[in-house]
Amino acid sequence: MTDVDTPAPAASADDTPAFIAPVAMENDPDALFAGDRGILDADVRRVLVRILQRRFLLADSSPAEWKLLLEHQQMIESRLNDLFVRLVVDHDRGVAYKEQVRSDEVDVPILLKDEAYSRAETLVLVYLRTVYQRETTAGSPSARVDVEEVEQTVLTYFAETDGTRASQQRAVRTAIARLDREGIIEEESEGRYRIGPLIEIVLSAEVLRELQHWLDAHTPDEGEPA
Protein backbone atom coordinates (compact mmCIF):
# COMPACT_ATOMS: atom_id res chain seq x y z
CA MET A 1 0.00 0.00 0.00
CA THR A 2 1.36 3.38 -0.93
CA ASP A 3 1.49 6.00 1.79
CA VAL A 4 -0.49 9.09 0.91
CA ASP A 5 0.65 12.36 2.38
CA THR A 6 -2.07 14.56 3.89
CA PRO A 7 -2.27 17.72 1.79
CA ALA A 8 -1.35 20.92 3.56
CA PRO A 9 -3.90 23.75 3.70
CA ALA A 10 -4.00 25.76 0.53
CA ALA A 11 -2.22 29.07 0.65
CA SER A 12 -3.21 32.31 -0.96
CA ALA A 13 -0.96 34.26 -3.30
CA ASP A 14 0.62 36.05 -0.37
CA ASP A 15 1.26 32.75 1.47
CA THR A 16 -1.53 33.43 4.00
CA PRO A 17 -3.19 30.14 5.05
CA ALA A 18 -6.75 29.73 3.75
CA PHE A 19 -7.89 28.33 7.11
CA ILE A 20 -7.56 30.70 10.05
CA ALA A 21 -7.08 29.12 13.45
CA PRO A 22 -9.62 30.24 16.06
CA VAL A 23 -8.38 32.85 18.47
CA ALA A 24 -8.09 31.61 22.04
CA MET A 25 -10.31 33.47 24.50
CA GLU A 26 -7.31 34.65 26.49
CA ASN A 27 -6.01 36.30 23.31
CA ASP A 28 -9.32 38.06 22.58
CA PRO A 29 -9.87 40.59 25.36
CA ASP A 30 -13.30 41.61 24.03
CA ALA A 31 -14.80 38.13 24.42
CA LEU A 32 -16.78 37.58 27.62
CA PHE A 33 -17.08 33.82 27.24
CA ALA A 34 -15.99 31.05 24.89
CA GLY A 35 -17.51 31.54 21.47
CA ASP A 36 -18.67 35.07 22.26
CA ARG A 37 -19.74 36.93 19.11
CA GLY A 38 -21.40 39.84 20.89
CA ILE A 39 -20.22 43.39 20.33
CA LEU A 40 -21.68 45.14 23.37
CA ASP A 41 -19.70 45.85 26.53
CA ALA A 42 -20.62 43.72 29.52
CA ASP A 43 -22.42 46.56 31.35
CA VAL A 44 -24.51 47.42 28.29
CA ARG A 45 -25.43 43.75 27.82
CA ARG A 46 -26.64 43.67 31.42
CA VAL A 47 -28.90 46.66 30.79
CA LEU A 48 -30.29 44.92 27.71
CA VAL A 49 -31.00 41.81 29.78
CA ARG A 50 -32.67 43.92 32.51
CA ILE A 51 -34.96 45.44 29.89
CA LEU A 52 -35.95 41.96 28.75
CA GLN A 53 -36.31 40.60 32.29
CA ARG A 54 -38.27 43.39 33.92
CA ARG A 55 -41.52 45.02 33.05
CA PHE A 56 -40.04 48.47 33.69
CA LEU A 57 -36.64 50.07 34.22
CA LEU A 58 -36.89 53.10 36.51
CA ALA A 59 -34.41 55.95 36.64
CA ASP A 60 -34.98 56.55 40.36
CA SER A 61 -34.38 52.98 41.50
CA SER A 62 -31.70 52.05 38.91
CA PRO A 63 -29.75 55.25 38.17
CA ALA A 64 -26.60 53.52 36.89
CA GLU A 65 -28.53 51.29 34.49
CA TRP A 66 -30.66 54.26 33.39
CA LYS A 67 -27.52 56.26 32.56
CA LEU A 68 -26.11 53.40 30.49
CA LEU A 69 -29.43 52.98 28.72
CA LEU A 70 -29.47 56.60 27.62
CA GLU A 71 -25.82 56.51 26.56
CA HIS A 72 -26.31 53.38 24.44
CA GLN A 73 -30.00 53.71 23.62
CA GLN A 74 -29.61 53.39 19.85
CA MET A 75 -27.59 50.18 20.11
CA ILE A 76 -29.96 48.66 22.68
CA GLU A 77 -32.94 49.60 20.52
CA SER A 78 -31.27 47.92 17.55
CA ARG A 79 -30.79 44.68 19.47
CA LEU A 80 -34.41 44.71 20.65
CA ASN A 81 -35.70 45.52 17.17
CA ASP A 82 -33.87 42.42 15.89
CA LEU A 83 -36.26 40.50 18.17
CA PHE A 84 -39.31 42.45 16.95
CA VAL A 85 -39.44 44.30 20.26
CA ARG A 86 -39.78 48.08 20.61
CA LEU A 87 -38.10 50.13 23.35
CA VAL A 88 -40.07 52.99 24.87
CA VAL A 89 -38.16 55.58 26.93
CA ASP A 90 -40.21 58.15 28.81
CA HIS A 91 -37.68 60.77 29.86
CA ASP A 92 -40.17 62.93 31.75
CA ARG A 93 -41.28 60.10 34.02
CA GLY A 94 -37.90 58.38 34.08
CA VAL A 95 -39.15 55.00 32.92
CA ALA A 96 -38.26 52.62 30.09
CA TYR A 97 -40.16 49.55 28.99
CA LYS A 98 -40.52 47.22 26.04
CA GLU A 99 -43.43 46.53 23.70
CA GLN A 100 -44.10 43.64 21.38
CA VAL A 101 -44.09 44.75 17.74
CA ARG A 102 -47.25 43.68 15.96
CA SER A 103 -47.86 44.17 12.27
CA ASP A 104 -50.42 43.20 9.64
CA GLU A 105 -47.78 43.54 6.92
CA VAL A 106 -44.93 41.50 8.41
CA ASP A 107 -45.02 38.00 9.87
CA VAL A 108 -43.89 38.77 13.42
CA PRO A 109 -43.18 35.92 15.84
CA ILE A 110 -44.48 36.89 19.28
CA LEU A 111 -41.75 36.91 21.90
CA LEU A 112 -43.43 38.87 24.70
CA LYS A 113 -46.52 37.45 26.30
CA ASP A 114 -49.13 39.75 27.77
CA GLU A 115 -48.99 39.74 31.57
CA ALA A 116 -52.58 40.58 32.34
CA TYR A 117 -53.43 41.94 35.76
CA SER A 118 -55.85 39.97 37.89
CA ARG A 119 -59.19 41.45 38.87
CA ALA A 120 -57.91 42.42 42.30
CA GLU A 121 -54.79 44.00 40.80
CA THR A 122 -56.89 45.97 38.32
CA LEU A 123 -59.16 47.24 41.08
CA VAL A 124 -56.16 48.36 43.13
CA LEU A 125 -54.71 50.08 40.07
CA VAL A 126 -57.95 51.96 39.46
CA TYR A 127 -57.97 53.26 43.02
CA LEU A 128 -54.28 54.21 42.94
CA ARG A 129 -54.71 55.99 39.62
CA THR A 130 -57.71 57.89 40.94
CA VAL A 131 -55.80 59.05 44.03
CA TYR A 132 -52.76 60.00 41.96
CA GLN A 133 -54.84 62.01 39.52
CA ARG A 134 -56.71 63.77 42.33
CA GLU A 135 -53.56 64.70 44.24
CA THR A 136 -51.48 65.83 41.26
CA THR A 137 -54.37 67.85 39.83
CA ALA A 138 -54.61 69.62 43.19
CA GLY A 139 -50.93 70.54 42.88
CA SER A 140 -49.45 67.99 45.25
CA PRO A 141 -45.97 66.84 44.15
CA SER A 142 -46.74 63.26 45.20
CA ALA A 143 -49.54 60.96 46.25
CA ARG A 144 -49.56 58.45 49.10
CA VAL A 145 -51.94 55.79 50.35
CA ASP A 146 -52.21 53.42 53.31
CA VAL A 147 -52.86 49.71 52.90
CA GLU A 148 -56.03 49.94 54.99
CA GLU A 149 -57.31 52.78 52.83
CA VAL A 150 -56.75 50.82 49.62
CA GLU A 151 -58.23 47.68 51.10
CA GLN A 152 -61.32 49.42 52.42
CA THR A 153 -62.15 50.96 49.05
CA VAL A 154 -61.28 48.01 46.81
CA LEU A 155 -63.27 45.52 48.88
CA THR A 156 -66.46 47.44 48.09
CA TYR A 157 -66.13 46.23 44.50
CA PHE A 158 -66.10 42.56 45.48
CA ALA A 159 -69.26 40.47 45.48
CA GLU A 160 -70.18 37.64 47.82
CA THR A 161 -69.35 35.21 45.03
CA ASP A 162 -65.73 36.40 45.11
CA GLY A 163 -64.98 34.33 48.20
CA THR A 164 -64.72 35.06 51.87
CA ARG A 165 -63.73 38.46 53.18
CA ALA A 166 -60.42 36.99 54.33
CA SER A 167 -59.61 35.66 50.85
CA GLN A 168 -60.58 39.01 49.33
CA GLN A 169 -58.25 40.81 51.71
CA ARG A 170 -55.43 38.44 50.79
CA ALA A 171 -56.06 39.13 47.09
CA VAL A 172 -55.79 42.88 47.70
CA ARG A 173 -52.57 42.51 49.74
CA THR A 174 -51.10 40.25 47.04
CA ALA A 175 -52.00 42.84 44.40
CA ILE A 176 -50.28 45.59 46.38
CA ALA A 177 -47.18 43.43 46.74
CA ARG A 178 -46.95 42.89 42.97
CA LEU A 179 -47.36 46.58 42.20
CA ASP A 180 -44.65 47.34 44.74
CA ARG A 181 -42.28 44.88 43.03
CA GLU A 182 -42.97 46.48 39.66
CA GLY A 183 -42.17 49.95 40.98
CA ILE A 184 -45.66 51.36 40.51
CA ILE A 185 -45.81 52.06 44.23
CA GLU A 186 -43.03 52.25 46.80
CA GLU A 187 -43.35 51.42 50.47
CA GLU A 188 -41.96 54.36 52.44
CA SER A 189 -42.95 53.06 55.86
CA GLU A 190 -44.82 50.00 57.02
CA GLY A 191 -48.18 49.94 55.27
CA ARG A 192 -47.76 53.36 53.63
CA TYR A 193 -46.93 53.70 49.93
CA ARG A 194 -45.98 56.47 47.55
CA ILE A 195 -47.66 56.23 44.14
CA GLY A 196 -45.14 56.80 41.35
CA PRO A 197 -45.73 58.43 37.94
CA LEU A 198 -45.51 54.98 36.39
CA ILE A 199 -49.20 54.60 37.25
CA GLU A 200 -50.01 56.97 34.37
CA ILE A 201 -48.34 54.62 31.90
CA VAL A 202 -49.89 51.45 33.28
CA LEU A 203 -53.34 53.03 33.40
CA SER A 204 -53.97 55.94 31.05
CA ALA A 205 -56.67 58.50 31.79
CA GLU A 206 -58.79 57.07 28.98
CA VAL A 207 -58.58 53.50 30.29
CA LEU A 208 -59.25 54.77 33.81
CA ARG A 209 -62.51 56.40 32.67
CA GLU A 210 -63.59 53.22 30.91
CA LEU A 211 -62.90 51.09 33.98
CA GLN A 212 -64.64 53.55 36.30
CA HIS A 213 -67.76 53.53 34.12
CA TRP A 214 -67.73 49.73 34.08
CA LEU A 215 -67.31 49.55 37.86
CA ASP A 216 -70.11 52.06 38.44
CA ALA A 217 -72.42 49.95 36.30
CA HIS A 218 -71.51 46.66 37.96
CA THR A 219 -71.17 47.66 41.60
CA PRO A 220 -74.39 47.32 43.65
CA ASP A 221 -75.53 50.21 45.77
CA GLU A 222 -75.34 49.84 49.54
CA GLY A 223 -78.28 47.88 50.77
CA GLU A 224 -78.77 46.04 47.47
CA PRO A 225 -77.79 42.38 47.11
CA ALA A 226 -74.42 41.83 45.43
Side-chain angles (χ1 to χ4, degrees), residues 2-226:
T2 304
D3 292 335
V4 179
D5 294 333
T6 303
S12 59
D14 60 357
D15 294 331
T16 301
F19 302 108
I20 300 176
V23 178
M25 183 176 176
E26 57 268 20
N27 297 326
D28 186 359
D30 294 329
L32 300 180
F33 51 86
D36 182 18
R37 295 294 180 267
I39 62 174
L40 300 180
D41 291 341
D43 289 343
V44 182
R45 296 190 199 193
R46 293 188 186 97
V47 174
L48 176 59
V49 172
R50 295 293 184 271
I51 290 289
L52 289 169
Q53 285 178 328
R54 303 175 186 172
R55 189 160 190 174
F56 306 103
L57 178 64
L58 305 178
D60 288 344
S61 58
S62 304
E65 292 177 330
W66 179 261
K67 182 175 182 291
L68 281 169
L69 172 64
L70 297 186
E71 291 175 349
H72 302 275
Q73 182 175 338
Q74 185 175 355
M75 183 63 72
I76 292 174
E77 283 181 327
S78 175
R79 292 295 174 270
L80 290 173
N81 291 167
D82 286 339
L83 301 175
F84 296 101
V85 174
R86 181 184 296 110
L87 175 68
V88 180
V89 180
D90 190 323
H91 296 272
D92 293 335
R93 297 186 178 92
V95 58
Y97 56 96
K98 58 191 178 296
E99 290 181 338
Q100 175 68 58
V101 172
R102 299 179 187 274
S103 172
D104 295 330
E105 301 175 355
V106 181
D107 181 16
V108 177
I110 303 302
L111 175 66
L112 305 180
K113 304 300 182 182
D114 292 332
E115 297 180 17
Y117 286 109
S118 68
R119 183 168 182 269
E121 291 164 349
T122 302
L123 292 173
V124 172
L125 280 170
V126 169
Y127 180 69
L128 295 175
R129 182 69 170 86
T130 302
V131 173
Y132 184 86
Q133 181 171 290
R134 182 186 67 218
E135 295 298 319
T136 54
T137 301
S140 176
S142 59
R144 292 171 172 78
V145 292
D146 295 316
V147 169
E148 292 77 10
E149 172 190 347
V150 177
E151 190 176 89
Q152 181 179 0
T153 302
V154 172
L155 288 177
T156 63
Y157 294 117
F158 283 89
E160 292 181 359
T161 54
D162 292 324
T164 64
R165 182 50 56 107
S167 65
Q168 295 170 8
Q169 290 174 327
R170 284 195 299 272
V172 173
R173 298 291 178 114
T174 300
I176 292 174
R178 175 183 176 179
L179 301 182
D180 184 20
R181 290 194 303 272
E182 292 187 348
I184 298 172
I185 55 178
E186 178 184 0
E187 189 172 21
E188 294 184 324
S189 59
E190 186 174 358
R192 185 161 180 79
Y193 293 84
R194 181 179 66 84
I195 308 171
L198 187 55
I199 190 71
E200 293 183 306
I201 294 176
V202 175
L203 210 60
S204 66
E206 180 181 358
V207 174
L208 175 64
R209 285 193 296 270
E210 293 175 358
L211 287 171
Q212 285 176 327
H213 291 158
W214 187 90
L215 289 171
D216 291 342
H218 292 79
T219 302
D221 295 330
E222 290 187 14
E224 292 184 3

